[in-house]
Amino acid sequence: MRRFLLLLALGGGVVCAHGPLHEQILILSAELEAQPDDPDRLARRGDLYLIHGLVAEARADWERLAGLSPNDITNEFRLGQVALELGGTNEAVRRLERFVTARPDSPTGHRVLARALRMSGRPREAAAQVAAAIAGIADAPPEAWLEQARDLVAAQA
């Protein structure tokens, strides 16, 4: 589910790629040997690593990308997602807050930030982020409404 959210937030471009993930990673790795500072290839390989379950490898590519393209706000989402996967909720919240500040119309960004806030023990703020996500979706899924309700109940406890 989390990897799907990453794909959704990034526009789903990786889903349309052809061939097995491992082959695509090998191809991008070979291309990166020839052009090691190519931000697009680093971003794509990191996406593929994450889909493949190679979280540390994804993080390494995206941290390198952050050095090459420090103003790439989408990379803040990527690194926030990875931090969350690795249990770094404070880092995840910080990065995801930067992302949703720059992209307030991203329902996926708000929902992932909500998850990070929830894991940080901040259910009231998580509920507000789910509300922002719901506002950005024409037909919000029932799970989003339930997520918000659970956060609001947790905030009252």
Side-chain angles (χ1 to χ4, degrees), residues 40-149:
D40 291 333
R41 285 186 175 97
L42 277 171
R44 282 190 317 208
R45 187 174 69 175
D47 292 342
L48 293 173
Y49 276 146
L50 188 64
I51 294 165
H52 205 342
L54 302 170
V55 179
E57 289 84 346
R59 182 180 197 137
D61 275 0
W62 294 335
E63 285 177 345
R64 184 150 173 238
L65 177 60
L68 295 170
S69 302
N71 297 323
D72 180 356
I73 196 64
T74 302
N75 205 46
E76 282 298 303
F77 178 85
R78 291 179 181 112
L79 287 168
Q81 177 83 12
V82 158
L84 196 55
E85 293 252 349
L86 295 173
T89 54
N90 290 335
E91 177 188 353
V93 167
R94 189 177 67 253
R95 289 184 180 280
L96 293 165
E97 282 178 336
R98 278 190 223 133
F99 177 77
V100 298
T101 298
R103 300 261 174 85
D105 59 338
S106 171
T108 303
H110 286 288
R111 287 200 61 195
V112 176
L113 175 55
R115 185 168 156 259
L117 289 164
R118 189 176 307 115
M119 291 175 70
S120 295
R122 297 159 61 183
R124 186 175 316 282
E125 293 171 72
Q129 291 300 319
V130 175
I134 289 170
I137 303 172
D139 264 340
E143 307 85 58
W145 294 99
L146 291 172
E147 196 177 320
Q148 183 185 31

